[in-house]
Amino acid sequence: FFKTFLLVLFIKMFDNLEDEQNRNQICFTCKTIITDQFYLRVGSKVYHESCLQCAVCQIALDKQPTCFLKGLQILCRQDYYK
């Protein structure tokens, strides 16, 4: 019997121009340098706004206030609770 561990991740948008140490961040999904003004961070990984998607339905998560982690997958609320 295993308990499901719920980890709600709050998606936070960062201003890439504001913080000098965040320059040359590599997007975890597409593996390219993030040169956009804004990027998203989930845990220790960073993403282009357009690259952060639900692993199941591929809905963009850039406009969502939260996402969920199940194993190594980032999921939207709907797919997490399926």
Side-chain angles (χ1 to χ4, degrees):
F1 177 74
F2 293 98
K3 270 190 172 176
T4 302
F5 179 73
L6 170 65
L7 176 60
V8 179
L9 300 169
F10 293 92
I11 301 173
K12 190 169 180 183
M13 186 175 290
F14 292 87
D15 186 338
N16 204 15
L17 299 177
E18 216 172 78
D19 190 351
E20 191 65 33
Q21 76 181 39
N22 289 324
R23 294 197 187 278
N24 299 324
Q25 293 279 3
I26 304 295
C27 176
F28 185 75
T29 300
C30 71
K31 310 297 187 232
T32 62
I33 294 174
I34 299 173
T35 58
D36 304 346
Q37 180 177 1
F38 297 104
Y39 65 94
L40 301 171
R41 180 183 300 276
V42 178
S44 63
K45 297 175 176 76
V46 293
Y47 301 84
H48 292 104
E49 291 180 82
S50 60
C51 287
L52 186 62
Q53 299 177 345
C54 173
V56 175
C57 69
Q58 284 74 46
I59 189 170
L61 296 173
D62 62 328
K63 303 290 188 243
Q64 304 297 316
T66 61
C67 58
F68 297 81
L69 190 60
K70 186 182 259 186
L72 297 176
Q73 293 184 318
I74 297 173
L75 303 173
C76 66
R77 178 182 293 274
Q78 182 176 351
D79 286 323
Y80 181 81
Y81 288 109
K82 280 185 181 178

